[in-house]
Structures are given as C-alpha cells and as structure tokens.
Amino acid sequence: MQLPGSVGGADWQSGAFDPETDTLFVQSITAPFIADLNKGDPRATDLEYVPGLRRLGARTARPATVKAALRRITAINLNTGDTLWMTPNGDGPRNHPLLQGLNLPRSAIPAAPRHW
C-alpha cells in the first residue's frame, strides 16, 4: 500500500464559500494506492515481474489501515486561516470482520459518495 496514492498527495475537488462568515468549505481525499506485481510470462516478456492491477482504491480482503478519514469536508476561516472543523464525508467500512469490537468513528472511503 502506498499513501499518498500514485496520483499525488493533494487533489482539488470543489469548494463552497460563505461570504457572511468568510468560511471556505473544501472536500479532500486521502486515497491509498494498492500496487501488486505478477510473475512475468516468459512468452510475453523478459521481465521477471510485471505490474498487476495497480488500481487506485483497489479492493482487498482487508480494510485499508489508514487512521484518518479518507474523504472529508473541512471548513476554513479565510480571515485567520484557521481550520474551524473537519468531518468525514460518508461512512467507511466499520463493519468489516477484522474491525469488529473496535467501535470506530465515521471514516469515509476515498470513492465519491454515490447519489442514487
């Protein structure tokens, strides 16, 4: 696992500004990158190992072990630069069998929330 992911450590999603409170609301993502290697096929390559799936947010049998919320919204006071608050944007995998009994807080997954 690589963190920050292979696309860098920061990504501009979108934001909103409240001119009455001079507050900027910004969403951000911490997206781990799961990289794997496969044995090279000698009929196709002379490399001993070749890249595998190499997908951002690849699914594994184990939950990602990242402490902070993976997707969050932060409110910033533009007069002072202070962070007013930060909250997870969504709800991550708290019910995974390996996490039972930990009583974890909300921790959103890196994928964008889906609107059905």
Side-chain angles (χ1 to χ4, degrees):
M1 182 167 63
Q2 174 185 330
L3 185 68
S6 64
V7 294
D11 191 7
W12 183 262
Q13 299 297 310
S14 66
F17 175 67
D18 181 347
E20 294 181 10
T21 62
D22 290 328
T23 302
L24 177 66
F25 302 91
V26 180
Q27 65 173 320
S28 59
I29 300 170
T30 300
F33 177 78
I34 311 295
D36 62 331
L37 294 174
N38 294 326
K39 189 91 168 134
D41 182 349
R43 297 171 294 180
T45 182
D46 60 350
L47 297 173
E48 189 171 349
Y49 291 95
V50 295
L53 297 175
R54 301 188 61 80
R55 296 182 307 187
L56 181 67
R59 301 286 185 222
T60 66
R62 301 176 66 91
T65 53
V66 177
K67 185 175 182 179
L70 299 176
R71 185 175 196 87
R72 62 209 153 264
I73 299 173
T74 304
I76 302 168
N77 180 313
L78 293 185
N79 291 320
T80 64
D82 293 337
T83 297
L84 301 175
W85 52 262
M86 188 267 311
T87 187
N89 184 11
D91 198 7
R94 295 189 290 174
N95 296 323
H96 192 282
L98 294 173
L99 303 176
Q100 293 301 310
L102 294 180
N103 195 24
L104 296 172
R106 291 177 61 205
S107 179
I109 59 176
R114 301 206 191 301
H115 303 284
W116 302 103

